[in-house]
Amino acid sequence: MRRPFHHGNLRAVLLEQAEVMLRESGADGLSLRELARQAGVSHGAPRSHFIDRQALLDALAEQGFDRMAEQVGAALRSPGTIRDRIRLVGHAYVDFAVDNAALMELMFAAKSNAPDGPVNDAAVRLFTLLDSGLAGASGERADAGTRERFKLLFAAAMQGTAALITARRITPAHGKTLVDDATDALLTSELGVQVLSLR
């Protein structure tokens, strides 16, 4: 059923419908004309919010990073030790990536990640949020370059785990175990010790 909309929320409705289409058909199946048809508006209506197809894809990717940042932020604000919070961040990362596999692929696609622009800015906000949690826990022990290496290795482990789940190479339950194992391995590694002073 098409969602009713008012003049003020057409952009939000279009993005919602575009994400449904992305999930069903992938980025290649997204077009402004088909989006208009699916949303029940005139074929020119989407262009009042997205100048072209790439602008629509960029808006979806930006929204994805912002939603992911909300989940990561909630995990970082949870009670418990820094080890507990980083583990929760790992689970939040993988859960989002599995639940939004097509969106994650779009978020990290080269076409959507120009060095300057809203998608890159949203990605920077996500990783800055994670960095603030690491910086707060490490005090003066780890410089920005060390924290950057930790963040990238952490993200690679979480995205790899999510990819195994979405490819059905492992079960979601096995994925949860891998998140815990990968987080513990990272936190007790020499790099993790430098970043979080856990020993």
Side-chain angles (χ1 to χ4, degrees):
M1 175 183 287
R2 288 171 179 156
R3 176 179 166 184
F5 65 87
H6 303 288
H7 179 72
N9 71 349
L10 176 58
R11 186 178 192 276
V13 170
L14 290 171
L15 283 172
E16 184 179 305
Q17 184 61 47
E19 191 168 339
V20 171
M21 294 171 63
L22 179 70
R23 191 176 296 117
E24 292 174 349
S25 307
D28 290 342
L30 264 179
S31 74
L32 291 176
R33 183 174 289 274
E34 180 60 17
L35 176 60
R37 192 185 73 77
Q38 292 282 339
V41 297
S42 70
H43 72 271
R47 292 193 182 274
S48 62
H49 296 281
F50 311 107
I51 191 169
D52 56 20
R53 180 176 174 278
Q54 188 59 51
L56 171 64
L57 295 174
D58 287 350
L60 280 171
E62 180 185 4
Q63 183 173 266
F65 276 116
D66 287 342
R67 281 171 34 206
M68 195 173 190
E70 288 176 12
Q71 295 187 24
V72 167
L76 286 172
R77 292 189 298 273
S78 298
T81 65
I82 185 62
R83 184 190 297 268
D84 294 334
R85 293 195 300 275
I86 295 298
R87 185 178 286 174
L88 286 173
V89 168
H91 286 291
Y93 196 119
V94 171
D95 288 347
F96 182 91
V98 170
D99 292 343
N100 303 278
L103 182 59
M104 275 291 283
E105 185 177 345
L106 176 63
M107 287 160 58
F108 287 92
K111 289 180 183 176
S112 292
N113 281 300
D116 53 348
V119 178
N120 185 67
D121 292 346
V124 168
R125 286 195 297 274
L126 169 63
F127 285 96
T128 298
L129 180 65
L130 180 56
D131 191 64
S132 68
L134 298 176
S138 65
E140 299 298 319
R141 277 184 63 108
D143 60 23
T146 302
R147 294 196 307 271
E148 183 71 11
R149 286 171 52 215
F150 182 92
K151 286 186 301 181
L152 290 174
L153 192 55
F154 177 82
M158 297 309 116
Q159 287 196 213
T161 300
L164 288 172
I165 296 170
T166 55
R168 298 185 179 178
R169 297 294 183 184
I170 60 174
T171 65
H174 192 185
K176 290 184 183 302
T177 301
L178 284 184
V179 169
D180 290 342
D181 289 346
T183 303
D184 287 345
L186 275 170
L187 293 176
T188 56
S189 69
E190 195 60 39
L191 181 61
V193 169
Q194 290 179 53
V195 170
L196 295 176
S197 309
L198 288 176
R199 283 184 192 156

